[in-house]
Amino acid sequence: AQTVTQSQPEMSVQEAETVTLSCTYDTSESNYYLFWYKQPPSRQMILVIRQEAYKQQNATENRFSVNFQKAAKSFSLKISDSQLGDTAMYFCALGGQYNAGGTSYGKLTFGQGTILTVHP
Amino acid sequence: EAQVTQNPRYLITVTGKKLTVTCSQNMNHEYMSWYRQDPGLGLRQIYYSMNVEVTDKGDVPEGYKVSRKEKRNFPLILESPSPNQTSLYFCASSLRTSPVNYGYTFGSGTRLTVV
């Protein structure tokens, strides 16, 4: 079974500062993908960043970057120059491959979420 | 515009009254799935479907039904809702194996309250 753990239920940061959200996971797969999703008060699930496990280089998307430690099974999200619009729930997710009835399919397993509040 | 459309956005119902939450996607995706989101538990998969007439249970299927008669539609049915099904529900879709690679396209969510 695949599991994802986010141990920080809530975080807060001042505008323009940097914050890091933690995520650990467990999987027996050798190749997989990791994601961070943002859920603002509108409830929409927005893909922030994705990381391919076989790539050593950490993914970056503008102010968002990850610290991917494969051996430690850790996948943290760093938000630089925090903005008020970054206030949201953030979910870490692991993409795994499953087999059902001889057919392979993909599934995302999500962590518990971290509520991030950016203060002016 | 490529999207997953979920309705209704909000729903309040009484215990035992059957309800259906609709989900439709216009991207010709084979894979569709329902998740529920609860505080402290994140998103948990209820059911999924790999194609028309092919559905299977996820991690928390009790009390729910689904059907996939057409590729674009994947309704979630609660035949006898109970208060513990009060939750935020998401429909999601993708090409069959691409959740692993590219993640899902999500609907906008349905906030269900069962009293």
Side-chain angles (χ1 to χ4, degrees):
Chain A
Q2 303 190 335
T3 60
V4 178
T5 303
Q6 294 177 249
S7 58
Q8 304 155 314
E10 295 186 40
M11 296 276 288
S12 64
V13 65
Q14 294 296 125
E15 200 174 7
E17 293 186 347
T18 296
V19 63
T20 299
L21 308 184
S22 301
C23 173
T24 58
Y25 62 92
D26 192 24
T27 180
S28 57
E29 299 288 324
S30 58
N31 190 25
Y32 49 89
Y33 292 75
L34 292 156
F35 306 84
W36 279 97
Y37 279 89
K38 172 185 178 181
Q39 185 183 57
S42 65
R43 300 193 323 224
Q44 189 64 41
M45 292 287 284
I46 302 164
L47 179 63
V48 174
I49 200 165
R50 61 185 280 272
Q51 173 78 41
E52 302 171 64
Y54 63 88
K55 285 191 174 179
Q56 297 291 331
Q57 187 174 5
N58 289 325
T60 299
E61 289 287 342
N62 301 314
R63 297 182 295 107
F64 298 87
S65 61
V66 298
N67 183 5
F68 174 47
Q69 302 288 328
K70 191 172 184 178
K73 294 184 178 176
S74 170
F75 183 60
S76 60
L77 175 70
K78 185 172 85 170
I79 306 175
S80 304
D81 186 25
S82 297
Q83 300 176 359
L84 297 178
D86 296 332
T87 292
M89 173 88 83
Y90 288 82
F91 289 100
C92 178
L94 167 66
Q97 206 71 26
Y98 294 81
N99 290 298
T103 301
S104 176
Y105 75 99
K107 170 189 171 182
L108 294 192
T109 299
F110 288 84
Q112 301 89 335
T114 297
I115 299 172
L116 175 66
T117 303
V118 180
H119 297 286
Chain B
E1 178 189 356
Q3 61 184 359
V4 177
T5 302
Q6 245 182 275
N7 283 297
R9 189 164 171 79
Y10 296 93
L11 179 58
I12 301 174
T13 190
V14 296
T15 299
K17 186 177 181 181
K18 181 179 178 180
L19 67 90
T20 299
V21 184
T22 63
C23 175
S24 181
Q25 50 92 6
N26 62 0
M27 297 163 284
N28 202 35
H29 283 169
E30 297 131 328
Y31 182 96
M32 297 185 75
S33 183
W34 279 101
Y35 281 79
R36 63 177 287 175
Q37 180 183 338
D38 301 290
L41 298 176
L43 280 79
R44 295 177 293 165
Q45 191 179 54
I46 303 170
Y47 268 93
Y48 66 90
S49 169
M50 289 187 283
N51 215 326
V52 175
E53 303 292 0
V54 181
T55 64
D56 208 346
K57 297 175 181 178
D59 300 316
V60 288
E62 295 77 20
Y64 304 95
K65 284 179 58 177
V66 294
S67 68
R68 188 92 181 270
K69 294 183 171 59
E70 305 166 283
K71 197 171 187 179
R72 62 182 291 124
N73 296 324
F74 189 46
L76 179 69
I77 303 158
L78 285 72
E79 295 214 326
S80 183
S82 63
N84 65 13
Q85 293 178 298
T86 293
S87 187
L88 177 59
Y89 291 86
F90 283 99
C91 181
S93 76
S94 75
L95 295 173
R96 192 183 75 203
T97 56
S98 70
V100 177
N101 301 352
Y102 298 107
Y104 296 132
T105 301
F106 282 92
S108 54
T110 296
R111 172 73 69 186
L112 171 65
T113 302
V114 183
V115 298

